[in-house]
Amino acid sequence: MARMLPKALLTTLILSTATGCQSGGPRMAGLNPFYRPELTSITTPAERVKELRALAEGAPSMDTGASEKMVVDLVRQLGSEPNPMIRQAIIETTTQFKTPLAAKTPIAGLQDEDSHVRQACCRMLAERPTPAGAAALAAVAKQDADFDVRIAAVQALGEQKDPIAQQALLAALEDSDPAMQLVGVQSMRRVSGKDLGGNVADYIALARKQSAPTTAAGSGEPAIEVAERTFGWLPK
């Protein structure tokens, strides 16, 4: 009984045979008077990203109806796109359209399986503050399994104008990781408009809407400053 070739190998063989018959390959171009460049309908990820960026540039010139249809089409593509780089580009493109669905796309992107896409969505929401975005970022800052994504969410919360942002930063300020605390302090300064120095306890109190303590709870000692705890920036 004849043994069947794997389907993928068979396809490769067919394509290579067709290429050879058509032109002799690029190396034969100088010897074959009938040679012509190969044409392909395959779009590489880089080419697709370039197309999406061009589409984003043209978004402001589209009328409302065309914009809504375009965003719906992009969201449909998003659901079946396996490449995270292209998914990120699709989401970035939708944010250039002024439609309700476009505003929801980066929020939905916070659930993407790829951590780099989730980080990018945090940055997109930082550039376009909304109450819905603040609520979504608050959940990510507290629950995402990836530390870098949580950091990106905390940074993005610093750009939100909604009161929920200040409350959400409490989790970052109380985190045991000094790097997370430091980012929480930086975001708290932006959200509140108050610079209380490097004492993380003061920002925790601010997030809790309490009077700022000057000593660590129950110790009688000055509260440890976040900058000192992290890198020893402050002089002794």
Side-chain angles (χ1 to χ4, degrees):
M1 179 179 293
R3 187 175 180 180
M4 295 182 63
L5 287 172
K7 186 175 180 181
L9 178 57
L10 182 59
T11 302
T12 302
L13 289 173
I14 293 173
L15 290 175
S16 62
T17 302
T19 300
C21 293
Q22 177 181 349
S23 61
R27 294 184 180 180
M28 298 295 292
L31 303 176
N32 186 351
F34 301 103
Y35 173 80
R36 64 180 182 275
E38 301 292 345
L39 300 178
T40 177
S41 60
I42 298 175
T43 302
T44 66
E47 290 171 338
R48 180 62 178 138
V49 169
K50 185 177 180 180
E51 291 174 355
L52 288 164
R53 287 176 178 168
L55 179 60
E57 291 177 0
S61 63
M62 289 190 183
D63 60 39
T64 302
S67 294
E68 290 176 347
K69 291 179 180 178
M70 180 58 66
V71 172
V72 169
D73 182 55
L74 288 169
V75 171
R76 285 175 178 165
Q77 295 177 40
L78 189 62
S80 59
E81 176 53 58
N83 189 306
M85 181 175 70
I86 297 178
R87 291 201 303 273
Q88 179 179 328
I90 290 174
I91 298 172
E92 289 171 343
T93 299
T94 63
T95 61
Q96 301 305 308
F97 293 88
K98 307 300 182 182
T99 74
L101 181 58
K104 296 177 182 178
T105 308
I107 295 177
L110 293 174
Q111 304 301 317
D112 194 279
E113 65 182 11
D114 187 271
S115 63
H116 294 93
V117 175
R118 299 200 301 277
Q119 289 179 56
C121 287
C122 289
R123 294 191 293 269
M124 293 178 220
L125 291 171
E127 296 172 357
R128 300 165 182 82
T130 65
L137 287 168
V140 170
K142 186 176 181 179
Q143 300 171 2
D144 199 283
D146 189 281
F147 182 79
D148 290 337
V149 175
R150 294 201 305 277
I151 286 284
V154 171
Q155 290 173 327
L157 282 168
E159 307 302 328
Q160 306 301 308
K161 307 303 180 183
D162 195 273
I164 194 175
Q166 186 165 317
Q167 300 168 14
L169 288 172
L170 180 60
L173 294 167
E174 293 181 328
D175 194 283
S176 61
D177 191 300
M180 181 64 77
Q181 289 183 354
L182 183 60
V183 174
V185 166
Q186 293 169 343
S187 290
M188 196 66 178
R189 286 173 181 162
R190 295 197 300 274
V191 168
S192 65
K194 298 178 180 180
D195 187 343
L196 305 179
N199 192 337
V200 67
D202 291 344
Y203 292 95
I204 290 175
L206 180 61
R208 291 177 173 172
K209 297 185 178 179
Q210 300 173 353
S211 59
T214 56
T215 61
S219 68
E221 298 295 330
I224 297 174
E225 296 193 352
V226 66
E228 181 180 355
R229 180 185 299 163
T230 308
F231 298 113
W233 288 337
L234 299 181
K236 299 296 184 182

